[in-house]
């Protein structure tokens, strides 16, 4: 993806500002002297001072707008601050001072844009609380599992959590001499394998060299990509096919982000398809204080396909040139074509940035391996299950904690389905189509009908035992009977299993029936150790258990990759209680 978070303007500046490397990464042919570059950097110092001063001025204006709650004006000033660096004509990477300032500027902007939500330390109350007015004559007790202080929103902002984009180490990758060894038989085999792809291109030994890399020191990266691709590949293939882009090019997603919606590069390109701010805006991806659609799923996938299609049209259907421009910018590719005298990727190879030299043959190698993993030594790699979700419209500022409570999942699981959300609440002032686990939308819709629109960000859902009275619930949650009655009017306590409570001063508790002489069995737990690449969803499938139940038991979202050797608790079958006998 073009590595530049810049805004779009008119005329010639529009084209220049759209593709940052064309401005700051123009490189001469291989072998240009480092001594000449150093001299230019030294001469640029006064210009750097002016660039930094202007960028800081825009940043200060952005902060003032934020303090006045003028978010759109603030974003405009922040974009201008970044533009001052990227459109200065200076080579950011060649000057340590300018590069350091730029990275710090991007960091400061993200901290300003995303509000800080701090959670108070959790307190555990180990003392059982005896329920009064229990629904049965048998003695009942409530085990207090945890008392948790409410979240408090503070004035300030925090940086969103991201993972490092694989593009950053890729730009520095240098193949070893062994990896560069390619035989005539290798090339002949590649020519034959190429026929299985859904687009045409000219082969080069570099493709086999990157295959050699993935078969050796890059094996773990390739294996992880083959596994993680399963979550998104169906959506990607369907989208690329609908937009008229070869489906095999969906594997560009592995090189761009390793299939992580939270991947972010050094230049603030973000998401599965690594859109920078300017290009994301051009292709309809909203970026506000509440949502960054570059980190989403369907919308950025469609935007990526449209962008690739536009680039291929620019280069007369040449997908290698389109991929090169996707990475380094069309102006850089145009310049390289002019210098090479031919619109052919392998001809312009000496005239493009090192990152792009690594980028295109890397994607081709990934595609070749992904088409036939067994052939290249990747045996028994099981892709993760495709994302399974339903979409439900929710009102303004709906808390993801409320959604997690209502669907019996976790906030992590809801956020994993909605990675474009910057906070644990949906955007304020607008409805939102929220993804929820398959099979949960109806029960969520039913519960949300009971939540007043002005309390969707301050309400929780708790589970109760059918027949449990409000006094019993009040005793174990710390919520008054009057509040419970006010928030749950008309609810039949004989049949309901869920009650609404305020999201403050609530003790999170589990209802637990006391053991009685009549009890002759008790639940047991078993533990298994995760293997490399395992997820809760994979483990539950192998043991024929419910993923949501195992996820709640361990506090881990179903599709989060587990560490090798990590212990996972599984609900076991009931076993005879101590002292009982089988007859």
């Amino acid at each position: 993806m073009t590595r530049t978070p810049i805004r779009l303007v008119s005329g010639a500046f529009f084209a220049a500002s759209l593709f940052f490397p064309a401005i700051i990464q123009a490189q001469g042919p291989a072998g240009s002297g480092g001594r000449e570059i150093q001299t230019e950097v030294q001469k640029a110092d006064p210009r750097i001072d002016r660039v930094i001063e202007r960028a800081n001025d825009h940043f200060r204006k952005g902060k003032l707008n934020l303090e006045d709650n003028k978010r759109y004006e603030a974003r405009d000033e922040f974009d201008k601050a970044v533009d001052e660096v990227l459109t200065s004509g200076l080579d950011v990477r060649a000057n340590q001072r300018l590069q350091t300032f730029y990275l710090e500027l991007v960091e400061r902007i993200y901290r300003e844009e995303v509000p800080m939500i701090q959670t108070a330390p959790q307190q555990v109350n180990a003392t059982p609380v005896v329920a009064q007015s229990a629904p049965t004559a048998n003695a009942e007790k409530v085990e207090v599992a945890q008392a948790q202080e409410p979240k408090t929103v503070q004035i300030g902002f925090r940086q969103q959590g991201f993972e490092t984009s694989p593009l950053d180490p890729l730009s520095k990758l240098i193949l070893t001499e062994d990896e560069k060894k390619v035989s005539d038989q290798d090339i002949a085999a590649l020519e034959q394998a190429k026929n299985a792809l859904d687009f045409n291109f000219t082969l080069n030994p570099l493709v086999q060299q990157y295959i050699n890399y993935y078969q050796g020191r890059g094996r773990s990266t390739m294996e992880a990509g083959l596994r993680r691709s399963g979550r998104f590949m169906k959506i990607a293939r369907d989208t690329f096919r609908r937009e008229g882009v070869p489906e095999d090019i969906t594997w560009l997603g592995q090189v761009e982000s390793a299939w992580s919606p939270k991947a972010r590069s050094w230049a603030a390109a973000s998401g599965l398809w690594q859109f920078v701010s300017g290009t994301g805006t051009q292709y309809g991806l909203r970026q506000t204080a509440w949502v960054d659609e570059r980190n989403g799923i369907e919308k950025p996938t469609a935007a990526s396909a449209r962008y690739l299609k536009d680039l291929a049209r620019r280069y007369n259907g040449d997908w290698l040139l389109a991929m090169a421009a996707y990475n380094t910018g069309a102006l850089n590719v145009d310049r390289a074509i002019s210098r090479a005298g031919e619109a052919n990727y392998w001809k312009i190879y000496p005239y493009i940035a090192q990152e792009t030299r690594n980028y295109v043959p890397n994607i081709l190698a990934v595609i070749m391996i992904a088409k036939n993993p067994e052939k290249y030594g990747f045996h028994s790699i099981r892709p993760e299950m495709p994302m399974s979700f339903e979409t439900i419209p929710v009102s303004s500022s709906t808390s993801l904690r409320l959604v997690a409570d209502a669907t019996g999942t976790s906030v992590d699981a809801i956020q994993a389905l909605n990675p474009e959300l910057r906070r644990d609440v949906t955007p304020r002032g607008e409805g939102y189509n929220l993804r929820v686990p398959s099979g949960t939308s109806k029960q969520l819709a039913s519960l949300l009908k009971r939540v007043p629109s002005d309390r969707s960000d301050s309400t929780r859902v708790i589970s109760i035992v059918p027949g449990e009275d409000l006094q019993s619930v009040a005793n174990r949650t710390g919520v008054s009977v009057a509040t419970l009655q006010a928030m749950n009017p008309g609810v039949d306590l004989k049949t309901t299993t869920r009650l609404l409570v305020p999201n403050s001063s609530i003790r999170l508790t589990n209802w637990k029936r006391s053991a009685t002489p009549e009890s002759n069995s008790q639940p047991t737990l078993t533990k298994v150790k995760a293997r490399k690449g395992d997820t809760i969803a994979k483990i539950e499938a192998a043991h024929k258990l419910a993923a949501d139940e195992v996820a709640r038991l361990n506090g881990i979202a179903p599709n989060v990759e587990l560490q090798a050797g990590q212990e996972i608790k599984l609900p076991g079958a009931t076993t005879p209680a101590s002292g009982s006998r089988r007859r």
Side-chain angles (χ1 to χ4, degrees), residues 3 35 39 61 159 262-263 322 394 518 548:
R3 309 262 80 83
R35 188 172 303 172
T39 301
K61 291 178 181 177
Q159 185 184 10
K262 292 296 186 182
V394 298
E518 290 79 12
D548 290 345

Side-chain angles (χ1 to χ4, degrees), residues 276-341:
V276 295
S277 179
T279 312
T281 299
Q282 183 190 6
Y283 281 87
L285 302 179
R286 288 196 307 154
Q287 300 151 62
T288 71
W290 299 90
V291 65
D292 188 341
E293 291 181 341
R294 295 179 301 163
N295 298 114
I297 302 169
E298 298 98 326
K299 286 186 178 180
T301 301
S304 175
R306 292 197 302 273
Y307 186 29
L308 282 164
K309 187 176 180 179
D310 289 345
L311 291 170
R313 188 181 298 116
R314 181 185 185 113
Y315 298 113
N316 299 316
D318 190 315
W319 290 104
L320 296 198
L321 291 176
M323 286 188 278
Y326 190 97
N327 176 257
T328 195
L331 294 183
N332 262 349
V333 172
D334 291 349
R335 180 180 296 146
I337 290 173
S338 176
R339 299 179 73 176

Side-chain angles (χ1 to χ4, degrees), residues 218-280:
R219 174 173 290 273
S220 61
T221 301
M222 189 70 212
E223 289 178 345
L226 290 173
R227 284 194 299 268
R228 294 176 73 171
S229 67
R231 293 200 72 204
F232 307 102
M233 188 52 76
K234 183 180 187 306
I235 292 173
R237 284 189 176 279
D238 290 347
T239 303
F240 275 45
R241 180 172 60 252
R242 184 173 62 250
E243 296 291 343
V245 178
E247 292 180 42
D248 287 335
I249 295 180
T250 55
W251 286 100
L252 174 146
Q254 177 159 330
V255 176
E256 286 284 346
S257 68
W259 301 109
S260 170
K262 292 296 186 182
R264 179 168 167 235
S265 77
W266 77 277
S270 195
L272 285 171
W273 307 99
Q274 290 292 280
F275 276 97
V276 295
S277 179
T279 312

Side-chain angles (χ1 to χ4, degrees), residues 125-131 141-145 475:
N125 182 352
T127 307
V129 178
V130 179
K141 73 177 180 181
V142 177
E143 178 182 335
V144 178
N475 289 341

Side-chain angles (χ1 to χ4, degrees), residues 335-509:
R335 180 180 296 146
I337 290 173
S338 176
R339 299 179 73 176
E342 186 176 347
N344 177 292
Y345 175 77
W346 304 114
K347 296 293 184 181
I348 72 170
Y349 184 85
Y351 305 106
I352 54 179
Q354 181 62 43
E355 178 181 334
T356 312
R357 294 179 190 176
N358 291 351
Y359 180 81
V360 174
N362 198 299
I363 293 173
L364 296 176
V366 168
I367 293 173
M368 302 295 277
I369 294 173
K371 293 291 286 188
N372 194 349
E374 299 281 341
K375 174 181 177 180
Y376 295 100
F378 293 88
H379 304 288
S380 305
I381 305 294
R382 292 192 305 167
E384 293 181 11
M385 297 293 293
M387 294 188 73
S388 177
F389 56 84
E390 298 171 342
T391 302
I392 178 173
V394 298
S395 62
S396 164
S397 302
T398 297
S399 165
L400 299 192
R401 171 60 64 187
L402 169 62
V403 175
D405 291 341
T407 56
T409 55
S410 66
V411 173
D412 285 345
I414 301 301
Q415 287 177 328
L417 290 174
N418 300 274
E420 70 279 7
L421 292 177
R422 285 182 156 180
R423 314 189 201 181
D424 57 359
V425 65
T426 62
R428 182 175 297 166
E430 61 180 273
Y432 197 78
N433 291 322
L434 192 72
R435 301 180 200 88
V436 295
S438 295
T440 65
S441 61
K442 289 185 179 179
Q443 70 183 45
L444 174 60
S446 177
L447 274 165
L448 290 180
K449 288 179 181 178
R450 293 163 50 188
V451 180
S453 59
D454 62 343
R455 303 192 68 172
S456 59
D457 62 344
S458 60
T459 300
R460 294 286 302 273
V461 177
I462 61 168
S463 297
I464 69 167
V465 177
E468 183 180 6
D469 65 21
L470 292 183
Q471 185 61 59
S472 171
V473 177
N475 289 341
R476 66 188 180 88
T477 62
V479 179
S480 70
V481 172
T483 300
L484 291 171
Q485 289 173 331
M487 296 189 69
N488 299 275
V491 172
D492 185 357
L493 294 177
K494 293 181 181 179
T495 58
T496 191
T497 60
R498 302 285 182 91
L499 288 181
L500 303 180
V501 294
N503 186 23
S504 61
S505 304
I506 175 177
R507 295 198 299 261
L508 303 183
T509 64

